[in-house]
Amino acid sequence: MLDFYGWTYDACLGPILSKTRHWMAAYVREKNLFPVLDLCTGTGAFCRIIGGGPQHSVWGLDLDGRFLRYARAKAPQIPFIQADAGRMPFPDSVFGAVILSYSVHDKGSGLRTAMMEEARRVLCAQGQILFLDFEMPWDRASRIGRVFTYSIERLAGGEHFRNSQQFMRAGGLRAFLALSHCIELESRSLPWGNSRIVAARFRE
Ligand SMILES: C[S@@+](CC[C@H](N)C(=O)[O-])C[C@H]1O[C@@H](n2cnc3c(N)ncnc32)[C@H](O)[C@@H]1O
């Protein structure tokens, strides 16, 4: 049976994020960045777009059992691992890409740092990290988008909301990339979501 929590998350955000997730999946396919790890996968929606299988190997990792129950029921062929993103059960240098889709802003700074160290460890030499997260508003549409995303974050509440506010006060995704020693390779702005997709690699 599908988990209600996962179902609700997908029903609310799935349609809004679908196009963006497809863009990211197309990027991974075009650059052949397999195997790919969707870190903090949530309902596993990105993994389902990639599809899995020997040519398009994808793994999802999350800490929340409710999301994972949903993700496994929807795509039994994809390995979904329950683990802490700051301490991953994978050997070094095994993934061609790590996806962080709205998975940074909601974490505390200690976990963010641990996640980035782990992402660097599990990526192979030419591996890329794909971020999708909130950016400081840069034009009228993104300022309107910020009102919308702020409301969603407010609804999430608690630690998630506090961490998200801190992430924005610190300068959003662009500042986080600089702090994490990432070099931007390609990016795409999503003004109405007050967000940006960034493909990056770690500085050597
Ligand atoms: C805002 S959701 C993003 C989900 C998904 N990536 C998406 O784009 O819809 C953040 C996710 O981080 C997960 N998470 C929180 N703390 C975690 C941790 N320490 N390790 C792994 N996942 C964690 C949550 O369970 C949640 O699924």
Side-chain angles (χ1 to χ4, degrees):
M1 203 182 78
L2 285 183
D3 185 90
F4 179 71
Y5 188 70
W7 184 89
T8 310
Y9 184 96
D10 255 5
C12 295
L13 294 180
I16 298 172
L17 293 177
S18 172
K19 209 171 151 191
T20 306
R21 285 176 175 147
H22 275 92
W23 189 92
M24 293 169 83
Y27 181 91
V28 169
R29 283 198 206 100
E30 184 198 317
K31 309 278 180 198
N32 196 20
L33 299 171
F34 294 102
V36 53
L37 170 65
D38 186 22
L39 196 50
C40 307
T41 187
T43 59
F46 174 80
C47 298
R48 289 199 295 282
I49 293 169
I50 292 282
Q55 302 298 316
H56 295 137
S57 169
V58 60
W59 294 64
L61 181 146
D62 205 282
L63 200 53
D64 191 323
R66 294 168 300 181
F67 274 147
L68 290 173
R69 260 197 308 279
Y70 175 90
R72 286 172 185 143
K74 291 278 280 184
Q77 79 282 11
I78 294 173
F80 288 105
I81 310 294
Q82 185 165 24
D84 185 346
R87 272 184 60 195
M88 292 196 256
F90 300 116
D92 296 357
S93 314
V94 282
F95 290 105
V98 171
I99 309 297
L100 279 164
S101 160
Y102 292 118
S103 298
V104 178
H105 73 272
D106 63 317
K107 310 294 187 297
S109 58
L111 180 52
R112 278 184 207 144
T113 308
M115 277 168 57
M116 295 310 286
E117 280 168 9
E118 280 292 82
R120 184 192 272 268
R121 180 182 70 75
V122 300
L123 273 177
C124 62
Q126 301 305 315
Q128 294 190 24
I129 179 157
L130 249 81
F131 295 90
L132 165 62
D133 224 310
F134 299 129
E135 196 58 280
M136 298 303 286
W138 62 92
D139 63 5
R140 187 159 180 269
S142 60
R143 277 193 290 281
I144 296 169
R146 175 69 187 138
V147 175
F148 171 66
T149 57
Y150 178 89
S151 312
I152 293 187
E153 293 302 290
R154 194 82 192 83
L155 275 178
E159 212 178 318
H160 181 128
F161 178 64
R162 280 193 296 281
N163 291 337
S164 170
Q165 289 297 97
Q166 185 277 330
F167 181 75
M168 293 307 278
R169 274 197 306 274
L173 181 57
R174 195 178 294 272
F176 182 73
L177 291 172
L179 196 74
S180 307
H181 308 288
C182 285
I183 301 170
E184 190 171 316
L185 302 172
E186 277 187 46
S187 77
R188 189 181 158 101
S189 295
L190 309 167
W192 297 105
N194 175 221
S195 301
R196 213 154 57 98
I197 306 172
V198 177
R201 65 176 171 76
F202 285 104
R203 210 179 291 279
E204 276 151 35

